[in-house]
Amino acid sequence: MALVDRSIERRLEPLFGWIVGKRWLMVLVYVAVVAGAARLAMDIPRDNSLENMVVSSDPDVAASHEFDRLFPDKPTVFLMLETEDPFAAGPLNDLERLESELDAIDGVHAFSMVTVWRRSRPGAGSPADDPETFRTLAGGSDFFRRQGLVGDNFLAIVLALDAPEPEIRDALLGRINEIVSSAPDWSRSIDRIRRVGRPWIDAWLERETTASSQKYFPLFGAFVISLVLGLYRSWRALAAILLSLGVAVLLGMAFAGLVGLGFTIVSALVPLTLMVTATASLVYLHSRFVDQPAGVDLESHRVRALANKFVAVTASVFAAAVGFAALTISNIRPIRELGIWTSGGLLLGWIVCFTLYPALQALFRAPTRRHRQVAGIWVERAADVIPRWSYRWRWPLVLTASSLAIAGLIALLGIPGVLPGMALETDALAYIDPDEPVAEDTQYFQEHVLGIEVAKIWITTPDYSVLEPATLRGLDRLTRELEGDPAVGSVVGLSSILRLRRYLAGLGDGLPDDPATFDRMAADLEQLMLSEPSISQWVDLDSLSSTYLTVTSAAGSETGIARVAAAIDGAWSRAASAQPALAECSYRLAGTGVLQASIASHLVPTLVESFAITFSIIFATFVFVFRSGPARLNAMVPSLFAILVTFLVMRLTGIPLNIATILIATTVLGVTENDQIHFFYHFLEKRNGGNTEAALVHAIRVAGHAILFATVINAGGFLALSLSNLPPMRQFGIVTSMAFTLAMLADFTALPAALWILFKERPGAEDEPPGAPSGGE
């Protein structure tokens, strides 16, 4: 039979006696530490950029970084000017004025059909003076429509931003917004201006990430104050808990500054997780403290209560820390850093709980139950009812929980050939509230103008041959093959630029078939490289052996980057067969679309591997703490049940796996195991010479009160994320809160039922009568 080693508690009592005796020293040490921690916490950087979402060691990321080094690109945004007739004089005047005002912003470079008009017809005046010629120019080649510069009911302006830092980007976007917002005051022909582009998406995500924290921190603070006062009915207890909680969270935040971590799209989870886990630990400790038995003086009881809860609290914090540390196996950088940050913060919070909190508890003279009645009389009644009730319904309870868990496993993984696994979501647009203007505009653009999946075809040629006529013909054939694929909306590269130049010179929008003419064009291109940045940007001038094509998915396309990649592969095979020079080249994909695909490929391994590691180490923790044979598996029943049923609910309600919801399994397992550890610790504490019924009564009386309120804290804290404007965070908060509640229900139903089945006993069957006094000290 498993035993709880009470000798550990006796060996710890002198240590806690010293800590309580040195209470003023503890407080002074923390005062000094807090000053430095506050400074570290204030200097944490922010980074939501897609190129930094995957760790730098990932091959796709390494290739993208090398590609960016060879072909540096500026962030760009689109402005869509919707109008009934884009070729009328009024809209053309407004386009010209708006482009001029935007181009005057330092750090912004504007390009539109007006720019094309000016460069192709120097001195021709405004396009509004000759709209029919402008219409002919815009409609004579499909290049302009393919690039989204003009459509049946819109004209567009492309803005390139000199924005190496997020702060500069935000300032430039602010100036652009000011000018665009003023357009209705002077324009009578533009119906609406849509803003499209990743810089606006990134700026919104960063802004909302910060706003989310500002929303839930005050709410959670008010929630904790109300809960602690309602539970312990003491301002002195509240002060000790709140100050300890504040220091624990601050040290956790400072840890990120110390080790060089930064805020990302999921970082809002870190302070929240630190708050709820530290609060839960403090509630466990204080609930044990207020339960002062008769005949034991306060100071002796204070030390004994700390020693009694040390193993359970330490094991639960260790389990949670390990659960989050398991996320470091992920190749998704925000998830990996969240794991490091949270696990480090949890360990610092654990130190605070056993050093600063006892000192403050003693200094503030927090009362026990003997001095002030606390909430929770219901626990006594529950302890008398639940053991026998769970025995009576043990098989229905266990079978129902098992059936729901199996259904959840199927919902997550699917059935080969019958039911696919849960959907994966990596599109940045899905992280934005669909009612936000930036989301509406981007969605409209994607459906009517161009898709948002972008791939860069990075082409490597034999040395110094990228400008050879044969290579250029091969690139042109590849471009035309891609343009003929229905999954592709636009293709831009050397061939496209050459065709555009010929078109503007009145030579048509195709490259010459005559070899001599083509050779002269290739020779001229080498000279243009020295004077035309718009051309030289497409070639690695140092080696003359690298170039690239930018491929964008077609409007309305729902196929994603995988379909675009397949189109590229097919087009390359056909073009290489027709052009031997291209067959001597090689290519690989780079760009945002490839990075999104890389993120998607890492989501499921992150879920499976981190969960497996977390489960294994928590299981080992149970073995070490309880030495309990098969019973240690039963202690994990509530968490596993809650996680799998949560996946079932997600599948039924259409919530996908994304960069936030992928964390549910690890988070729930790491956090809810706290309750099972405390429950099982006190269960085994009473089974030392007792029976199952007496052990269940004791576990519910001692731990039930804290389990309920720890669950309320956990669920309430994460539910605050439902106020976030970030859909993944909102989804994560709702389903995680539900999982915490399900785990608590299983603590008091499926877990006792499973223990009855495991130990094969009946109520009152052993030598100790049911409902016997539970002891405690």
Side-chain angles (χ1 to χ4, degrees):
M1 184 62 61
L3 302 176
V4 173
D5 190 356
R6 302 300 291 271
S7 65
I8 296 177
E9 297 179 18
R10 291 190 291 271
R11 291 197 296 270
L12 288 170
E13 287 178 6
L15 172 62
F16 288 119
W18 182 85
I19 290 173
V20 172
K22 301 293 184 180
R23 60 196 71 169
W24 280 110
L25 175 62
M26 292 290 111
V27 171
L28 291 175
V29 168
Y30 274 100
V31 168
V33 170
V34 162
R39 183 170 182 178
L40 284 171
M42 292 175 63
D43 293 334
I44 301 175
R46 298 184 179 275
D47 185 5
N48 285 319
S49 59
L50 181 65
E51 58 270 20
N52 290 328
M53 289 280 279
V54 184
V55 295
S56 57
S57 59
D58 182 88
D60 290 329
V61 174
S64 291
H65 286 170
E66 178 62 16
F67 177 85
D68 290 340
R69 185 188 68 80
L70 292 176
F71 307 107
D73 196 14
K74 296 178 180 179
T76 58
V77 296
F78 267 80
L79 293 177
M80 288 183 60
L81 285 62
E82 294 184 352
T83 180
E84 185 176 344
D85 182 2
F87 300 110
L92 293 177
N93 263 325
D94 292 345
L95 171 67
E96 190 171 17
R97 174 174 174 176
L98 185 59
E99 179 186 336
S100 177
E101 291 184 10
L102 292 168
D103 199 55
I105 301 174
D106 188 23
V108 174
H109 308 279
F111 181 89
S112 73
M113 283 302 303
V114 171
T115 314
V116 177
W117 170 271
R118 290 173 181 159
R119 293 181 181 178
S120 63
R121 288 167 172 77
S126 170
D129 297 336
D130 192 358
E132 286 306 315
T133 302
F134 183 85
R135 183 193 299 269
T136 301
L137 172 68
S141 170
D142 65 354
F143 177 84
F144 305 113
R145 283 183 176 268
R146 281 185 170 273
Q147 303 311 313
L149 291 176
V150 65
D152 292 337
N153 64 341
F154 74 90
L155 295 163
I157 302 175
V158 181
L159 303 174
L161 312 180
D162 292 330
E165 302 294 337
E167 294 79 9
I168 300 175
R169 176 206 63 204
D170 291 347
L172 293 177
L173 292 178
R175 287 286 296 119
I176 292 170
N177 285 332
E178 289 176 9
I179 293 174
V180 170
S181 298
S182 68
D185 296 337
W186 49 262
S187 173
R188 296 295 177 266
S189 59
I190 301 300
D191 300 323
R192 175 172 180 171
I193 300 178
R194 296 184 184 272
R195 301 167 176 85
V196 181
R198 185 162 190 96
W200 266 306
I201 293 176
D202 289 341
W204 189 91
L205 288 173
E206 291 171 11
R207 185 170 61 252
E208 288 302 322
T209 300
T210 303
S212 295
S213 300
Q214 295 171 348
K215 285 180 182 178
Y216 70 67
F217 262 106
L219 285 175
F220 187 74
F223 175 69
V224 169
I225 291 172
S226 302
L227 182 66
V228 172
L229 283 178
L231 181 57
Y232 303 117
R233 301 170 186 177
S234 167
W235 289 99
R236 287 176 285 172
L238 175 65
I241 290 174
L242 279 186
L243 286 174
S244 300
L245 177 62
V247 171
V249 174
L250 177 61
L251 293 183
M253 300 299 288
F255 173 77
L258 185 65
V259 299
L261 304 178
F263 282 112
T264 65
I265 191 172
V266 294
S267 295
L269 298 177
V270 177
L272 177 61
T273 303
L274 298 181
M275 282 194 295
V276 297
T277 51
T279 305
S281 294
L282 291 168
V283 166
Y284 277 117
L285 290 173
H286 203 75
S287 293
R288 196 62 172 135
F289 166 72
V290 299
D291 194 18
Q292 181 185 1
V296 179
D297 69 90
L298 181 61
E299 292 307 313
S300 297
H301 168 69
R302 190 192 313 279
V303 171
R304 291 179 187 175
L306 288 167
N308 178 254
K309 295 302 291 183
F310 179 81
V311 172
V313 170
T314 300
S316 63
V317 171
F318 174 76
V322 166
F324 283 100
L327 295 174
T328 58
I329 58 95
S330 176
N331 281 334
I332 303 175
R333 188 182 64 86
I335 292 179
R336 174 181 287 192
E337 291 191 358
L338 179 139
I340 297 171
W341 189 349
T342 306
S343 58
L346 288 174
L347 295 177
L348 291 171
W350 170 78
I351 295 173
V352 171
C353 288
F354 285 104
T355 53
L356 179 61
Y357 163 71
L360 293 176
Q361 183 196 80
L363 285 173
F364 293 152
R365 294 180 295 173
T368 66
R369 193 188 300 270
R370 287 172 55 184
H371 302 93
R372 182 168 300 177
Q373 184 62 43
V374 300
I377 299 301
W378 62 270
V379 174
E380 297 293 329
R381 294 194 293 270
D384 292 332
V385 172
I386 288 176
R388 295 199 173 210
W389 175 84
S390 62
Y391 173 80
R392 179 182 179 184
W393 299 99
R394 62 193 184 281
W395 284 111
L397 287 170
V398 170
L399 290 175
T400 300
S402 300
S403 299
L404 289 172
I406 292 171
L409 186 63
I410 293 173
L412 172 64
L413 301 178
I415 301 175
V418 179
L419 180 72
M422 287 185 65
L424 302 177
E425 187 176 77
T426 58
D427 182 4
L429 191 60
Y431 297 165
I432 300 179
D433 192 310
D435 294 330
E436 288 291 325
V438 64
E440 291 182 353
D441 290 348
T442 304
Q443 188 65 36
Y444 180 90
F445 183 85
Q446 177 180 350
E447 292 176 357
H448 298 91
V449 183
L450 274 176
I452 58 175
E453 300 289 356
V454 178
K456 309 278 190 175
I457 309 177
W458 181 9
I459 300 169
T460 303
T461 71
D463 291 344
Y464 307 107
S465 65
V466 72
L467 300 180
E468 291 294 322
T471 304
L472 293 175
R473 282 197 180 278
L475 294 176
D476 184 56
R477 180 61 180 262
L478 175 62
T479 299
R480 287 185 282 115
E481 291 284 354
L482 285 167
E483 289 175 342
D485 194 296
V488 174
S490 76
V491 184
V492 184
L494 268 181
S495 171
S496 309
I497 302 302
L498 290 174
R499 282 193 279 159
L500 177 61
R501 290 179 65 87
R502 286 180 58 81
Y503 171 73
L504 296 178
L507 299 175
D509 63 352
L511 297 186
D513 295 325
D514 176 58
T517 305
F518 198 100
D519 290 349
R520 286 196 300 272
M521 182 194 68
D524 292 342
L525 181 61
E526 294 187 29
Q527 297 302 316
L528 289 171
M529 287 286 171
L530 303 176
S531 58
E532 290 283 351
S534 61
I535 297 179
S536 61
Q537 67 176 344
W538 297 94
V539 174
D540 175 18
L541 296 179
D542 291 334
S543 67
L544 291 179
S545 61
S546 285
T547 185
Y548 70 98
L549 303 180
T550 298
V551 181
T552 306
S553 58
S557 173
E558 298 179 356
T559 53
I561 193 65
R563 178 65 183 86
V564 174
I568 292 171
D569 186 61
W572 182 275
S573 297
R574 294 189 299 272
S577 298
Q579 296 290 333
L582 191 64
E584 298 178 8
C585 304
S586 62
Y587 83 94
R588 70 173 305 169
L589 299 183
T592 57
V594 177
L595 292 179
Q596 286 180 347
S598 180
I599 292 171
S601 70
H602 292 308
L603 281 178
V604 172
T606 291
L607 171 64
V608 175
E609 294 171 12
S610 64
F611 182 80
I613 293 172
T614 303
F615 181 89
S616 300
I617 297 182
I618 290 178
F619 180 75
T621 302
F622 272 68
V623 173
F624 175 78
V625 174
F626 301 129
R627 305 182 181 94
S628 173
R632 57 190 173 242
L633 276 176
N634 279 358
M636 303 183 76
V637 164
S639 294
L640 296 177
F641 165 77
I643 291 167
L644 293 174
V645 173
T646 297
F647 284 127
L648 175 61
V649 173
M650 288 174 62
R651 184 64 183 260
L652 293 175
T653 57
I655 297 176
L657 292 175
N658 54 44
I659 196 170
T661 57
I662 201 73
L663 302 172
I664 287 172
T666 299
T667 302
V668 173
L669 182 61
V671 174
T672 58
E673 277 305 308
N674 298 355
D675 297 339
Q676 284 96 67
I677 286 174
H678 286 276
F679 184 99
F680 215 66
Y681 183 84
H682 294 294
F683 174 84
L684 294 180
E685 190 176 48
K686 193 60 178 177
R687 267 195 68 85
N688 295 350
N691 60 28
T692 299
E693 183 176 13
L696 287 172
V697 169
H698 176 69
I700 295 171
R701 282 180 174 168
V702 175
H705 190 269
I707 287 174
L708 172 65
F709 283 99
T711 300
V712 172
I713 290 167
N714 293 337
F718 278 86
L719 191 59
L721 290 174
S722 63
L723 298 176
S724 173
N725 287 331
L726 298 168
M729 301 297 287
R730 200 162 56 227
Q731 295 163 353
F732 179 85
I734 293 171
V735 297
T736 304
S737 299
M738 180 191 68
F740 291 148
T741 305
L742 288 171
M744 181 195 68
L745 292 175
D747 285 337
F748 296 120
T749 56
L751 178 57
L755 291 173
W756 279 117
I757 293 172
L758 174 70
F759 290 110
K760 300 178 181 179
E761 294 182 13
R762 297 171 58 89
E766 297 288 341
D767 54 342
E768 186 168 341
S774 63
E777 294 291 333

